[in-house]
Amino acid sequence: MGEIFSDATRWERALESRHTVFAGLAPGSRIGIVPEAAVTGGSCLDVQMIEWVATGDGLKVGQREFAGFEATDVDILIAADDVALAYLTEALEGDVLAAMRRLIRDGHMLFFARKARRDLETAGYDDLLDQLGFAFMGACR
């Protein structure tokens, strides 16, 4: 399970294949993925988070310690259970966003928007949220 949080290079390659989804993100936009136990179990000691950060040169992926639900500075936090973590390890070789959409729909990933809707819209999250199955913008904008 831990290897998914230590292989930023595989994540970066997987996300680069879907670079158009992230093209509209404002530099500094951040998405974090943690094990579900980090947000439901009460303890976040020594928990690693994979972090996607939008830059002027595209999406960069890194790893850092998860500071806790209230202290994290990501815009979106995704918590993955053990089933999701195992599935994502293999999905990094294919369409990881489609895999994540399926895992969210099936209840294996929890999705936390840590900013208001208007702030997510302003930061350019529309395409990513749509890809993950959250079409909160509606058909008419």
Side-chain angles (χ1 to χ4, degrees):
M1 170 173 69
E3 74 262 8
I4 193 119
F5 293 101
S6 62
D7 199 346
T9 304
R10 280 184 69 209
W11 273 102
E12 214 162 83
R13 275 195 313 263
L15 297 172
E16 175 59 30
S17 70
R18 300 296 306 276
H19 71 279
T20 58
V21 173
F22 304 102
L25 285 178
S29 297
R30 298 177 183 279
I31 298 133
I33 302 175
V34 296
E36 184 178 27
V39 296
T40 61
S43 174
C44 60
L45 295 175
D46 298 323
V47 173
Q48 293 301 302
M49 174 173 70
I50 212 71
E51 183 180 51
W52 310 348
V53 180
T55 70
D57 297 325
L59 200 63
K60 302 296 179 204
V61 178
Q63 173 193 7
R64 68 177 171 126
E65 192 165 320
F66 178 61
F69 187 83
E70 294 299 324
T72 191
D73 61 351
V74 297
D75 304 329
I76 293 172
L77 181 65
I78 300 171
D81 69 12
D82 290 341
V83 170
L85 295 174
Y87 191 76
L88 285 174
T89 300
E90 306 229 352
L92 288 176
E93 303 305 321
D95 187 346
V96 70
L97 294 182
M100 290 176 72
R101 180 182 184 137
R102 219 173 0 264
L103 290 164
I104 290 168
R105 184 184 63 227
D106 292 345
H108 294 290
M109 294 183 96
L110 302 174
F111 180 93
F112 300 96
R114 309 241 331 124
K115 291 199 171 185
R117 174 181 168 171
R118 70 181 172 281
D119 294 334
L120 292 175
E121 290 173 18
T122 301
Y125 279 99
D126 303 3
D127 287 341
L128 176 60
L129 292 173
D130 184 57
Q131 289 295 307
L132 295 177
F134 298 102
F136 68 78
M137 297 295 294
C140 301
R141 293 186 197 172

